[in-house]
Coordinates of all heavy atoms in Angstrom, one line a residue:
A816 N 3.9 29.5 -4.1 CA 4.2 30.9 -4.4 C 5.7 31.1 -4.6 O 6.1 32.0 -5.4 CB 3.7 31.8 -3.2
K817 N 6.5 30.2 -4.0 CA 8.0 30.3 -4.2 C 8.5 29.7 -5.5 O 9.4 30.2 -6.0 CB 8.6 29.7 -3.0 CG 8.4 30.4 -1.7 CD 9.1 29.6 -0.5 CE 8.7 30.3 0.8 NZ 9.3 29.5 1.9
D818 N 7.8 28.6 -5.9 CA 8.2 27.9 -7.1 C 7.0 27.4 -7.8 O 6.4 26.5 -7.4 CB 9.1 26.7 -6.7 CG 9.6 26.0 -7.9 OD1 9.2 26.3 -9.1 OD2 10.4 25.0 -7.7
E819 N 6.6 28.1 -8.9 CA 5.4 27.8 -9.6 C 5.4 26.4 -10.2 O 4.3 25.9 -10.6 CB 5.1 28.9 -10.6 CG 4.7 30.2 -10.0 CD 3.7 31.0 -10.8 OE1 3.3 30.5 -11.8 OE2 3.5 32.1 -10.4
R820 N 6.5 25.8 -10.3 CA 6.6 24.4 -10.9 C 6.1 23.4 -9.8 O 5.8 22.3 -10.2 CB 8.0 24.1 -11.3 CG 8.5 24.9 -12.5 CD 10.0 24.7 -12.7 NE 10.7 25.1 -11.5 CZ 12.0 24.9 -11.2 NH1 12.8 24.3 -12.2 NH2 12.6 25.3 -10.1
S821 N 6.1 23.8 -8.6 CA 5.8 22.9 -7.5 C 4.3 23.1 -7.1 O 3.8 24.2 -6.9 CB 6.7 23.2 -6.3 OG 6.3 22.4 -5.2
V822 N 3.6 21.9 -7.0 CA 2.2 21.9 -6.6 C 2.2 21.3 -5.2 O 2.8 20.3 -4.9 CB 1.3 21.1 -7.6 CG1 -0.1 21.0 -7.1 CG2 1.4 21.8 -9.0
H823 N 1.4 21.9 -4.3 CA 1.3 21.4 -2.9 C -0.1 20.9 -2.7 O -1.1 21.4 -3.3 CB 1.6 22.5 -1.9 CG 3.0 22.9 -1.9 ND1 3.8 22.8 -0.7 CD2 3.8 23.4 -2.8 CE1 5.0 23.2 -1.0 NE2 5.1 23.6 -2.2
A824 N -0.2 19.8 -2.0 CA -1.5 19.2 -1.6 C -1.8 19.6 -0.1 O -1.0 19.5 0.7 CB -1.5 17.7 -1.7
H825 N -3.0 20.1 0.1 CA -3.5 20.5 1.4 C -4.8 19.8 1.8 O -5.6 19.6 0.9 CB -3.8 22.0 1.5 CG -2.8 23.0 1.0 ND1 -2.0 23.7 1.8 CD2 -2.5 23.3 -0.3 CE1 -1.2 24.4 1.0 NE2 -1.5 24.2 -0.2
L826 N -5.0 19.5 3.0 CA -6.3 19.0 3.4 C -7.3 20.2 3.6 O -6.9 21.3 4.0 CB -6.2 18.3 4.8 CG -5.5 17.0 4.9 CD1 -5.2 16.6 6.3 CD2 -6.3 15.9 4.2
T827 N -8.5 20.0 3.2 CA -9.6 20.9 3.5 C -10.1 20.7 4.9 O -9.7 19.7 5.5 CB -10.7 20.8 2.5 OG1 -11.3 19.5 2.6 CG2 -10.2 21.0 1.0

Side-chain angles (χ1 to χ4, degrees):
K817 294 178 183 175
D818 181 358
E819 291 211 7
R820 296 171 297 175
S821 179
V822 176
H823 289 241
H825 309 258
L826 288 168
T827 63

